[in-house]
Amino acid sequence: MRPKLSFVFACVLLASFLGADTRVVFAEAPHDSTWQKEASQRLKAIYDNSEFKPVEFDPTWKSDSSSFTVRQADPETKKPAMWRYDAATGKRTKVDTDDSKKPGRGKQAGRGRRGGRGGVVSPNGKKVLETRDRKLFVRDLDSDQSTQLTPDVADREISYGNLSWSPNGEYVLFAESDRTELERRPVLVPGDPTFPKVEMTPYARVGGKIVAQRVGVVKANGEGFQWLPLEMPEDGFYLGQVEWAGNSTEILVETMTRFRDEHDFWLATVGGEMKRIYHDTNEAWAVGSHGLVTGLNWVQGGDAFVALSEQDGWRHAYLCLRNGKQETKLTVGDYDIIDRAVIDEDGGWFYFYASPDNATQKYLYRVPMDGSGTLERITPKDQPGTHEYIFSPDAKYAVHTYSTLNSPPVVDLVEVAGHRVVSVLEDNAELRERSKQIIANPTEFVQLDIGGGVVMDASVTKPKDFDPTKKYPVFVYVYGEPYLQTVLDRWGAAQIDFLRVVADAGYITVSIDNRGTACPKGAAWRRSVFGSLGPLSTEEQAAALKELGRMHSYVDLSRVAIWGWSGGGSNTLNALFRKPDVYHVGIAVVPKPQPWLYNAWFQEIYMRTREVNAEGYERSAPINFAEGLKGKLLIVTGSGETNTHIQIIEGLVDRLIELGKPFDYMVYPNRDHGLREGTGTVVHVRMLILRYLIENLPRGPQPVAAKA
């Protein structure tokens, strides 16, 4: 039986143990602190002062599409002010702050307005929905009298969401979440350092109880309360979109099975009748953790809707009748919809984002709503990179943002037809000039063919004094799991600001998207990891690194470090444990070395539970391969973790101690998953990573010493 050690919640816990050491030995360099001042200054500029963040531009369109308002600095006073831009001309005028708050300027038409206490205001503006003491109330704004809508729940841990009024104001719709049956885990509450308090926090672990959910409807006077008769599997399910279905008698309810392998939309009546109008299923998953296929958009006055599905192997849009009897594919071809954009019913167009030829980029496309499938690119072809649009309600104009990994965003107002630029709204000129100081060598994108038809995207950043005739150590930034991708041609993407600092310290920084990541390369690409996260990504990351070394002589494969955050931390551990001859240094930030202890919501999509997939969990878990560690390892976490909580990591710490493996361990007190809490933390974490890298993997174009 392994010893169970209790670790103090302290700022630093460094563990180094002597044992058999067969690692590559690098020549010791004289103490080098020349990098620290420059790195510290740059990191503070990036994270503390936000000097490389673009100017925020968050417009709110007027309901008639004639103009939009946005908060910007007044050029005279330098203070924030509200401005209105005319859609046809781009002319800017300053507006009265009170005027800008008048109705009709919401970003999404038809959503309930918020009351003074945060509640949802009724359609006639006379009542407001409020929650307090685990109950739902409607309050009359004139009399200030409240009517209780939901029953008393005693000591149950209840919360309410999806609050909405029927269009006629007669009924109230809501979703209830009940966490009472969830297991609790103790979390220290910051306070008296000698006698800290402990809070018991609900945690839905793999294979355990998950939040119980149901949907209720009640008249605004408190009468006629009922729960909709949804199918409620014993092991639980998840709710998605819950709203009125375009009238005051029907309700739309989106449900997903616990494993997200089934995805349904239901129409319910206020009388309690249920009818399924859409069903999607997949033996792996129908809905991923990013939720891109969730939700539907009503069209044709509510007689039809648009939904997304990967049923044919690509993420496509389908036009479905309200009665559920017909589906028409709107987007046709071997490409993925990256995300929805807008539906222009008057013009007959479905707008969406895609990038059929380059998975690192994002462009605006459209297809006709008649199902002909004719694909038309709206974004100009001479603007490679990433594009975002905030459309006017009539979809004739849009605020358009364009950036690349190496170029800050430009924001302009465009007329969608023809993509005519009406006016440049924000060119981020100061940021553009400032960025020249830190981008000595623009990050490059390469494709790595590892055979078997697998071609992976990678980004490569070189040092400022790069010499192509010499070899440089490699620092790999990995995520490698299904939630996201790291190789993106977008300003500020995927830790690039930090990676540039590392590169200028004397490293080639690299990031690679293996199969299983969220790339728009088809469902088969994304679902290739189903059943066990870790084994495939480990193999493909190592193979891609080898291919990069073959392609470029400046890549020194005898000096390789890897790091990652969360799922990337797990992949870092797997790389160091399973490929010890490939990776020499690893820095795993908030990893999950025991995936069966992680949260059910994420992990069960891709690996189900140990009860039905024990072998997959065994192959996935880094802790089961810890004996393979040869290189230098730093594990970083926070004692206030609520996601990959510290006990998930302590099991690996115990195992490494048991094996007599040298490693280092840093715990930030009371920090959560993002390690952001507390002054200086964000910079300190990155200085820690960089210092550990430099102390354990010689930087710059240095010769590698012979093995000891």
Side-chain angles (χ1 to χ4, degrees), residues 16 405 597:
S16 294
L405 193 62
L597 300 181

Side-chain angles (χ1 to χ4, degrees), residues 125-403:
K126 296 182 178 181
K127 298 178 180 179
V128 63
L129 297 176
E130 297 176 340
T131 58
R132 57 180 182 271
D133 301 323
R134 294 169 293 158
K135 292 184 285 289
L136 177 62
F137 296 85
V138 58
R139 179 168 60 89
D140 187 288
L141 293 175
D142 292 329
S143 67
D144 205 36
Q145 295 297 309
S146 293
T147 300
Q148 183 173 329
L149 301 181
T150 55
D152 293 331
V153 293
D155 58 351
R156 301 195 70 80
E157 189 172 336
I158 298 292
S159 61
Y160 298 103
N162 300 90
L163 306 180
S164 62
W165 292 86
S166 60
N168 64 7
E170 183 179 355
Y171 290 94
V172 171
L173 176 67
F174 62 93
E176 179 196 80
S177 295
D178 187 345
R179 293 174 173 79
T180 307
E181 301 301 321
L182 267 59
E183 295 288 340
R184 262 60 177 170
R185 56 178 301 271
V187 176
L188 287 181
V189 178
D192 189 311
T194 306
F195 307 105
K197 294 182 179 179
V198 175
E199 183 178 274
M200 300 303 292
T201 304
Y203 190 81
R205 193 172 74 179
V206 168
K209 291 279 188 178
I210 63 173
V211 176
Q213 297 181 296
R214 53 183 175 173
V215 177
V217 62
V218 60
K219 287 187 176 181
N221 61 8
E223 298 177 355
F225 179 93
Q226 66 172 311
W227 297 109
L228 297 184
L230 291 169
E231 296 179 5
M232 296 186 180
E234 186 176 345
D235 61 350
F237 72 106
Y238 294 97
L239 286 173
Q241 191 174 6
V242 176
E243 63 182 28
W244 292 96
N247 56 53
S248 297
T249 60
E250 291 182 301
I251 298 161
L252 174 71
V253 181
E254 179 181 22
T255 63
M256 291 155 279
T257 53
R258 176 170 180 148
F259 294 156
R260 265 57 55 87
D261 55 337
E262 294 188 38
H263 179 208
D264 295 300
F265 289 105
W266 304 82
L267 273 185
T269 67
V270 293
E273 298 177 359
M274 299 287 299
K275 178 183 179 181
R276 185 164 65 184
I277 61 172
Y278 177 88
H279 176 70
D280 191 13
T281 185
N282 186 275
E283 61 182 8
W285 64 84
V287 180
S289 54
H290 38 63
L292 291 175
V293 302
T294 58
L296 60 73
N297 302 97
W298 292 110
V299 293
Q300 299 177 15
D303 290 336
F305 59 89
V306 176
L308 300 189
S309 171
E310 297 182 359
Q311 60 187 262
D312 77 342
W314 299 89
R315 188 181 302 125
H316 281 308
Y318 294 82
L319 179 65
C320 310
L321 294 184
R322 188 185 184 101
N323 61 19
K325 293 183 178 180
Q326 181 180 337
E327 293 184 3
T328 301
K329 187 189 295 186
L330 296 180
T331 53
V332 180
D334 292 348
Y335 64 87
D336 280 314
I337 291 177
I338 294 176
D339 204 354
R340 302 171 176 92
V342 72
I343 296 175
D344 175 13
E345 279 208 81
D346 291 338
W349 297 104
F350 172 68
Y351 288 87
F352 61 95
Y353 298 102
S355 186
D357 302 318
N358 188 326
T360 73
Q361 299 173 339
K362 182 179 179 182
Y363 303 101
L364 183 67
Y365 286 81
R366 71 180 184 181
V367 293
M369 291 290 291
D370 62 10
S372 64
T374 305
L375 183 66
E376 180 182 353
R377 175 166 162 166
I378 302 301
T379 304
K381 291 187 177 181
D382 61 354
Q383 295 182 0
T386 296
H387 298 258
E388 299 279 355
Y389 296 78
I390 300 176
F391 286 84
S392 61
D394 64 7
K396 289 180 169 52
Y397 294 93
V399 174
H400 164 237
T401 301
Y402 165 51
S403 75

